[in-house]
């Protein structure tokens, strides 16, 4: 984690980011998460799950792509497969979030067809939910509507 994000974050920020991936996600959501690997090891991953409280929603929690392979479509491949599996599991929508400053993630989600959810305020033309993940942890929220037969 720290190696993959050290190109865009300080060591402390990379360590903080690694806290978003505790072992419980790998233990309890392995059936809905995806990993791309080859002889060199893990090259990309997507941690996702289906809502336990309802049968309609899925959520993409965290995605990573080896920095040497970014821009080659691995993230798009993982998202497409997660959306396909969510549809096959009867889910009708998928949600994801990112920080307002993560312009690459925002552009990626929009290019995938995710819509922006309304926010409490606007920042740089984007709807932002204030304190979504706690004080000072604003987020941009995304939504994907699964249309039956168009997965």
């Amino acid at each position: 984690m720290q190696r993959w994000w050290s190109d865009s974050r300080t060591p402390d920020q990379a360590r903080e980011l690694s806290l978003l991936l505790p072992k419980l996600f790998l233990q309890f959501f392995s059936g809905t998460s995806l990993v791309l690997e080859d002889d060199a090891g893990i090259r990309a991953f997507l941690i996702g799950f289906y809502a336990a409280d309802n049968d309609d929603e899925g959520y993409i929690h965290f995605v990573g792509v080896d920095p040497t392979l970014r821009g080659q479509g691995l993230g798009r491949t993982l998202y497409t497969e997660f959306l396909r599996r969510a549809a096959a599991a009867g889910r009708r929508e998928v949600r994801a979030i990112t920080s307002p400053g993560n312009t690459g993630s925002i552009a990626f989600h929009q290019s995938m067809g995710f819509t922006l959810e309304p926010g409490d305020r606007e920042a740089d033309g984007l709807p932002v939910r204030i304190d979504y993940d706690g004080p000072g942890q604003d987020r941009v929220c995304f939504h994907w509507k699964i249309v039956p037969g168009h997965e």
Side-chain angles (χ1 to χ4, degrees):
M1 292 279 297
Q2 290 178 12
R3 183 179 57 81
W4 279 16
W5 281 277
S6 64
D7 62 334
S8 61
R9 292 174 173 80
T10 67
D12 285 342
Q13 290 171 326
R15 266 192 301 282
E16 185 178 311
L17 192 61
S18 70
L19 296 176
L20 294 174
L21 193 56
K23 188 175 182 178
L24 72 93
F25 283 104
L26 304 172
Q27 286 177 292
F28 296 106
F29 302 113
S30 62
T32 53
S33 297
L34 305 166
V35 176
L36 295 176
E37 58 186 322
D38 60 19
D39 293 338
I42 295 174
R43 306 312 294 251
F45 65 87
L46 180 151
I47 304 300
F49 52 89
Y50 305 147
D53 295 344
N54 67 66
D55 294 332
D56 290 334
E57 295 179 302
Y59 182 76
I60 296 174
H61 172 68
F62 199 80
V63 179
V65 176
D66 183 321
T68 64
L69 299 173
R70 289 183 188 152
Q72 297 183 25
L74 296 180
R76 184 170 297 277
T77 297
L78 290 171
Y79 266 69
T80 300
E81 181 62 16
F82 183 84
L83 294 168
R84 186 193 69 72
R85 289 181 183 194
R91 301 298 161 149
R92 296 187 177 117
E93 51 194 304
V94 173
R95 299 182 185 283
I97 63 169
T98 195
S99 62
N102 193 339
T103 56
S105 177
I106 293 166
F108 173 79
H109 283 90
Q110 289 180 306
S111 76
M112 285 292 301
F114 279 78
T115 57
L116 294 163
E117 293 186 351
D120 306 316
R121 70 174 173 89
E122 200 171 284
D124 296 323
L126 296 169
V128 175
R129 294 223 183 138
I130 298 170
D131 298 335
Y132 183 90
D133 275 335
Q137 300 297 312
D138 303 345
R139 297 292 180 256
V140 175
C141 300
F142 300 97
H143 180 258
W144 175 278
K145 182 85 169 148
I146 295 173
V147 178
H150 294 95
E151 296 82 35

